[in-house]
Amino acid sequence: MLITVRDNNVDQALRALKKKLQREGVYREMKLRRHYEKPSEKRAREHAAAVSRARKADRKRLERDR
């Protein structure tokens, strides 16, 4: 990953770096790896996320059809 600093503006470059890290999911990955997660907990978390995504897709589909 490459961030260019223009006109010695480090604050702007730091904001750009944080935005890129956020977009690529680095922060989420760091949070997940902070502690060991049992395989059963991982499956349960992933299943809950899948259910949540499916419900959200259903809500969006219903709104579009109205």
Side-chain angles (χ1 to χ4, degrees):
M1 187 176 303
L2 180 69
I3 304 291
T4 56
V5 178
R6 297 187 188 127
D7 301 327
N8 274 344
N9 194 346
V10 177
D11 292 331
Q12 184 179 5
L14 191 58
R15 264 197 316 267
L17 174 65
K18 287 181 180 180
K19 189 180 281 188
K20 279 190 178 185
L21 290 174
Q22 180 76 30
R23 211 175 297 135
E24 291 189 13
V26 174
Y27 290 127
R28 188 180 311 117
E29 178 109 8
M30 285 171 44
K31 183 179 174 186
L32 287 174
R33 290 175 184 254
R34 203 167 281 160
H35 300 289
Y36 177 74
E37 185 178 29
K38 290 178 14 182
S40 60
E41 292 172 346
K42 182 178 179 184
R43 276 194 306 272
R45 179 180 48 79
E46 289 176 348
H47 177 72
V51 168
S52 175
R53 280 193 309 271
R55 286 183 181 155
K56 182 177 179 180
D58 288 344
R59 277 197 310 272
K60 292 222 180 231
R61 194 175 310 113
L62 282 174
E63 281 190 21
R64 256 188 278 124
D65 292 343
R66 286 184 184 179

